[in-house]
Amino acid sequence: MPASTNQESEKTRLQAFLAHCGVASRRASEQIILDGRVTVNGAVVTELGTKVGQEDKVCVDGKPVHLENRKCYVLLNKPAGFVCSASDEKGRQVAADLLRDSYKERLYNVGRLDMYSKGMILFTNDGDFAAKLSHPSSQIEKEYIVETSQDVPEDFPARFEKGIRVENTFYKCVRCRILKPRKVSITLIEGKNREIRTVLESQGIGTRSLVRVRIGNVNLDDLRPGEHRDLTPAEVKGLLELAVSR
């Protein structure tokens, strides 16, 4: 087979290449390309179908990016006040900054927590891992412990499990349990933006604290706010199995 054909077969789509370099998830990398922030061999590329190989010089915002040999899978206990994004134009603290002293790899978050929520957020530089966990079909459970400013009505769990409509948007949890009059456990699969806060507010209940304590088979356990740890191989394998078993 001609050498050029071999080289062509080793090329990958630009957005996948960026994800494997740890720039961002594949979906976020697509937007970075469309925004004109990527050059290949000195030329700006905005075509998502572009293919590149290791011999090509790829830059994002003028800085070269390279494939990373080590795949990282990190669990961070995000404190309140940190945003889940690569950077923030408003100058707010970014959750990824809490990992920079421990990892030389470029890590990005899988999923999000809003600025005021706390708890589990996963980071990786493995684009395939991020894509599988983020895909709507993955149906991976996420459990939250919520402390409220008012007592939660006894019938609220059953109603939330059945589904509650708020301003033409339908919200439905997988499970809801009252732990104390002002403390509930809520498990979601496909969490909409600020879903728990929105549903509670619709019932006249304020949210004092919201902590994500579980993602699939991985638990927060005794990890303190601001601390992080690597996922175990078993945890990574378990998450991938959950993502493809639905």
Side-chain angles (χ1 to χ4, degrees), residues 77 219-225 227:
N77 185 349
N219 294 294
L220 185 62
D221 294 329
D222 57 356
L223 200 65
R224 295 178 180 177
E227 291 184 342

Side-chain angles (χ1 to χ4, degrees), residues 141-148 150-164 171-189 195-197 199-200 203 205 207 210 214:
E141 290 187 353
K142 300 173 182 68
E143 182 180 355
Y144 303 80
I145 299 298
V146 187
E147 294 185 7
T148 63
Q150 288 84 25
D151 289 0
V152 178
E154 291 184 3
D155 67 338
F156 174 76
R159 290 192 291 113
F160 197 5
E161 290 174 3
K162 185 177 181 180
I164 295 175
Y171 299 97
K172 185 175 184 294
C173 71
V174 177
R175 279 183 301 280
C176 182
R177 293 182 296 122
I178 296 177
L179 306 177
K180 295 180 179 179
R182 298 190 178 188
K183 188 175 185 179
V184 293
S185 166
I186 298 173
T187 301
L188 305 176
I189 288 181
E195 174 166 346
I196 293 174
R197 296 179 189 276
V199 170
L200 289 172
Q203 309 300 306
I205 303 170
T207 300
L210 190 154
R214 179 174 65 86

Side-chain angles (χ1 to χ4, degrees), residues 22 24 36 54 71 85 94 97 111 129 149 176 179 189 205 221 227:
Q54 295 191 49
K71 298 300 183 186
S85 60
V94 176
D97 289 343
F129 175 81
S149 53
C176 182
L179 306 177
I189 288 181
I205 303 170
D221 294 329
E227 291 184 342

